[in-house]
Amino acid sequence: MQECLHQRQLNDDDSGSGWWTRRVSPPAKLILVLCLIASFIAQTALVYTDPPTSLPLSAQGQAGRRLWLRRNCQTCHQFYGFGGFLGPDLTNASSRVTNERLKQILTVGAGVMPAFHLSTDQIASIGAFLEAMNQTGRGQAIIDRADRNKTDVRSVFFRVVQSEFIKEHDAMANANDQARVGFELLQVKGCMQCHNPFSISSVGAPGLTTISRRFGRQDIMTTLENGKPPQMPAPMLDSNERESVYLFLSWMTNHRDRLLRDVRDQARQTPFRWTNLPWWEFSR
Amino acid sequence: MTIDSNNAIGASSSITSEHGSSEIHLRRPDDPVRRRATIMILCGALVSLALAVIAGLWSVLYYIPSVGVFLTNHGINFTAARPLHTTFASAWIILGGVAVTHRYLQEQAPPAGQMEKWSLRVQLALWVGASIGVVGTLPIGITSGREYLGFHPTLSIPILLGWLLFAWSFFRATWRGFWSRPVYVTMWGVGIVFFFFTFVEQHAWLLPRVFAHPVVDLRLQWKSVGTLVGSFNLLVYGSLIYVTEKITGDERYARSRIAYALFGVGLLNSFTNFAHHTYHIPQSELIKSISFVVSMSEALIFTRVVWDLAGLVRQQRVSTFDAPRFFMNAVKWWTASMLLVSLLISIPPLNSLIHGTHVVTAHAMGSEIGIDTMILFAAISWILADGSTKTVLSRSLLHSTFMKLSAVGFNVAAAILVVWLLASGAMVGETRYQGLAPPGWLHHFNGVIFTGVGCAAGIFLMMLLSVFLRLAFRRLAESPRLHIPHENASGQDQ
């Protein structure tokens, strides 16, 4: 709906109607600008006087930060969502990436990430910088899976798997203790950063409940030992651990239909709640 | 309302309103020196946009994994492409606004004297030098590693010095009766000073205390980037009101209370709204709350103003395609939709979902393309169609079928791109919140749609630029050089 300025009663001596369309006097303009300047100064003072909430970087951390800037890492990566989106947010990367994986990435690259061929000292500096950033807070809104009341699919999936193991144990079925160990390893190693339980993910990682159906034992064991460069890193498992993970993957394939049904049922019972979303910082 | 105007240089125009009163707009004879400066800066703005598009087409290839890996393996990295794109996209908007400001000075300021001619030459030389420096250093990896100002801090010096000279030119010409001038002059003046402050603030990371506290640096970085955007938005929004006034011949809106309300709320929003990017950074909640409240208020006022302005322009209906009017109308729709997006992502719970996803890219690109670029295209179309010695040629090119196809195609492609980025970003945010990796189909379609539609938008934009660049460089060739005459022994110019 358009309002036509020409049809309003305009009067330069301000005696007509149309309050919004009347002229503004020069003193009023000056007062407006001065008020805005004062607001800007106040806002700037608020920001500049807000104290730091974390410790300053160590010398090694600062060296890592300088390297971060020199290599322009922010082009692809973010801290607290600030940066490019081609790569992941690295605010809390040090809590999920091992030193060996960090060395591998920074040496040989990963996909579109170039191989930087950094020295050991440089890698250590980057590691120190990332560790310091990890201490500052949580960079992304992710539901804490330790909370049993959370409704995210991953938490529901873990609960469902756990309850299936309990049922089998109670029924004196085959003690899948080694498969259970594989389940624990899967959580610890962060496999679900890339793999979804039931479907292929955006990075091309196959669904965990379909792997044993799609690949033979030898292929799976080789992948668990060496990874699948450049996308999948080597999970750093010994032979017993690889066997445990393989058994768990087989178990999931055999129980896929039941797991899928139970996850869907539970998800319907505990719908996504908007009130669970954080308002300010993600630590809550 | 009838307009009887003569666009020849130095003529006056009279406007008779519906109510029978008349206002005489007296124009100074166009100063050829200032006219040349306007067109040179305009050419610089268009070249910046062309560089931004080329770098953008290069960047988007990395979203096709096989292509991205191929390029990376051959040493052609994304770390060179993206900073070029963001730097020159910002440069286009800033220089476009500066060009329109110079256009105003062309007709309102007294003829440039010797000092001012030198000032203009040095200003332009500094900016050209800085641009060459940016183009030469970014692809070879000499960067600051920062967002927006991705070039080495040394190059900030000529940019800032050039800006000081520009500020001097502007205020020298407008300080008399500054507060009696229309709102766009106030907007430009405040924007010019604001830019200076925020540009300097962007370099706070060079201070050891800030460098040692990355989270403090993030707060300042977001603040200064947000206010940098606010400063160039003031140049652009002022240009919108100025060009509308020129197209319609009606100066009343530019002096009205609602226009000043836009200015006030818009500026307030500029230096508080950065915090909608920092809701989740460890920072005082008071800062975040102020941002939230101010964000909600600006949306309403600005949408109303743009609607009014587009309505003014549309009253003068023309039966054929008219470039300035088309772009003005496009601004209306883009403004309404992008402000709605801004409103939604300023709500903290929604912000937490989409933060760090392509929803942010959609917000940035949609605003800079749909609002800023459309306004500048309207202004540039008007500038190029007005006052040229070959006005007929300019107008026929600007109102041609080719131009119409390019403009419509660009808007459609850009809209699809923004919608896709919003959808994919929302999907990523939601699955990430669930602790899952995004679905595989998203990965597949992202490469196709983002890259495909992005390339289409880039091609249509280059088609538009081909017309603008042709006309702009033709105007540059027509205009006399910034000649600084030598005085002979008797003190006369030669």
Side-chain angles (χ1 to χ4, degrees), chain A residues 1-8 10 12 14 19-27 29-30 32-33 36-37 39-40 43-44 46-48 50-57 62-63 65-66 68-76 78-86 111-116 129 133 136-143 150-155 192-197 199-204 272-274 276-282 284, chain B residues 1 18-19 62-63 65 68-69 72 77-79 82-83 141 143-147 179-181 186 190 194 197 201 205 209-223 225 227 250-253 255-258 260-261 263-264 267-268 271-272 274 277 279-290 292 304 307-308 310-312 314-315 332 348-350 352-353 355-358 360-361 430 432-440 443:
Chain A
M1 183 155 125
Q2 307 293 326
E3 285 195 46
C4 176
L5 251 183
H6 302 290
Q7 291 173 358
R8 292 179 197 159
L10 295 171
D12 284 348
D14 289 344
W19 192 88
W20 279 111
T21 57
R22 293 185 201 159
R23 284 195 174 218
V24 182
S25 63
K29 293 178 194 176
L30 177 60
L32 172 65
V33 171
L36 290 169
I37 290 172
S39 304
F40 179 65
Q43 176 76 1
T44 302
L46 270 177
V47 175
Y48 278 83
D50 198 14
T53 54
S54 53
L55 295 172
L57 291 175
Q62 291 195 39
R65 189 170 188 217
R66 274 189 284 275
W68 168 276
L69 293 174
R70 207 156 52 237
R71 297 295 182 150
N72 214 359
C73 303
Q74 197 162 310
T75 309
C76 301
Q78 320 113 51
F79 284 129
Y80 288 98
F82 192 44
F85 301 128
L86 200 58
V112 295
M113 178 171 168
F116 288 113
F129 174 51
M133 289 304 295
T136 60
R138 180 172 286 178
Q140 289 184 335
I142 297 176
I143 294 176
K150 294 296 185 181
T151 60
D152 66 293
V153 172
R154 191 174 68 170
S155 298
M192 288 184 71
Q193 297 290 334
C194 298
H195 289 274
N196 283 333
S199 59
I200 192 168
S201 77
S202 68
V203 297
F272 181 80
R273 291 184 197 282
W274 290 97
N276 284 343
L277 289 172
W279 190 266
W280 299 133
E281 290 165 37
F282 296 149
R284 282 179 269 223
Chain B
M1 187 175 79
E18 288 178 348
H19 304 284
Y62 290 84
Y63 285 87
V69 171
T72 303
N77 295 325
F78 187 68
T79 51
R82 185 172 175 267
T143 74
S144 66
R146 313 281 289 177
E147 286 289 284
W179 300 110
S180 301
R181 294 179 188 265
T186 313
V190 172
F194 209 25
F197 180 85
E201 195 181 31
W205 64 279
R209 184 180 174 276
V210 176
F211 189 83
H213 286 94
V215 174
V216 170
D217 181 30
L218 270 175
R219 294 176 197 163
L220 296 182
Q221 198 175 0
W222 274 114
K223 174 184 182 298
V225 166
T227 49
D250 189 343
E251 67 159 18
R252 289 171 293 184
Y253 201 88
R255 299 178 187 275
S256 66
R257 288 176 180 177
I258 192 162
Y260 279 91
F263 162 62
L267 185 61
L268 192 67
F271 55 76
T272 60
F274 73 93
H277 293 279
Y279 283 154
H280 49 287
I281 290 180
Q283 185 174 230
S284 161
E285 285 192 14
L286 176 61
I287 296 169
K288 303 174 189 185
S289 301
I290 292 171
F292 173 59
R304 160 70 189 272
W307 212 270
D308 280 346
L312 276 178
R314 258 195 14 196
Q315 286 165 25
K332 179 179 74 172
L350 293 182
S352 70
L353 271 187
H355 197 84
T357 71
H358 278 121
V360 178
T361 310
E430 201 271 338
R432 181 186 68 192
Y433 189 63
Q434 300 284 352
L436 297 172
H443 178 67

Side-chain angles (χ1 to χ4, degrees), chain B residues 227-344:
Chain B
T227 49
L228 179 74
V229 170
S231 69
F232 68 56
N233 278 346
L234 281 173
L235 293 181
V236 173
Y237 299 164
S239 302
L240 170 69
I241 299 175
Y242 171 66
V243 171
T244 306
E245 180 184 283
K246 303 305 284 186
I247 290 175
T248 62
D250 189 343
E251 67 159 18
R252 289 171 293 184
Y253 201 88
R255 299 178 187 275
S256 66
R257 288 176 180 177
I258 192 162
Y260 279 91
L262 157 72
F263 162 62
V265 176
L267 185 61
L268 192 67
N269 191 76
S270 295
F271 55 76
T272 60
N273 204 26
F274 73 93
H276 75 204
H277 293 279
T278 58
Y279 283 154
H280 49 287
I281 290 180
Q283 185 174 230
S284 161
E285 285 192 14
L286 176 61
I287 296 169
K288 303 174 189 185
S289 301
I290 292 171
S291 165
F292 173 59
V293 169
V294 175
S295 297
M296 302 300 120
S297 60
E298 194 228 15
L300 300 169
I301 298 229
F302 192 74
T303 306
R304 160 70 189 272
V305 170
V306 173
W307 212 270
D308 280 346
L309 289 173
L312 276 178
V313 172
R314 258 195 14 196
Q315 286 165 25
Q316 300 172 12
R317 292 186 187 277
V318 293
S319 57
T320 57
F321 176 75
D322 182 87
R325 285 172 174 75
F326 174 86
F327 291 121
M328 294 282 287
N329 205 38
V331 169
K332 179 179 74 172
W333 294 107
W334 278 104
T335 301
S337 52
M338 295 320 302
L339 280 177
L340 176 62
V341 170
S342 298
L343 200 75
L344 290 173

Side-chain angles (χ1 to χ4, degrees), chain B residues 334-455:
Chain B
W334 278 104
T335 301
S337 52
M338 295 320 302
L339 280 177
L340 176 62
V341 170
S342 298
L343 200 75
L344 290 173
I345 67 175
S346 294
I347 300 171
L350 293 182
N351 186 288
S352 70
L353 271 187
I354 58 83
H355 197 84
T357 71
H358 278 121
V359 170
V360 178
T361 310
H363 162 60
M365 288 183 68
S367 301
E368 294 195 6
I369 291 173
I371 302 176
D372 296 327
T373 298
M374 290 298 129
I375 291 173
L376 289 175
F377 278 171
I380 288 171
S381 302
W382 173 76
I383 290 174
L384 291 174
D386 179 65
S388 167
T389 55
K390 296 186 181 176
T391 302
V392 173
L393 173 64
S394 301
R395 288 183 176 163
S396 65
L397 277 174
L398 287 170
H399 305 329
S400 64
T401 305
F402 178 82
M403 189 71 178
K404 180 179 179 181
L405 174 70
S406 308
V408 171
F410 174 57
N411 273 273
V412 170
I416 295 172
L417 180 66
V418 168
V419 167
W420 171 252
L421 289 172
L422 287 171
S424 63
M427 177 70 68
V428 167
E430 201 271 338
T431 53
R432 181 186 68 192
Y433 189 63
Q434 300 284 352
L436 297 172
W441 62 265
L442 184 69
H443 178 67
H444 171 71
F445 280 107
N446 199 35
V448 171
I449 296 178
F450 188 12
T451 307
V453 178
C455 287

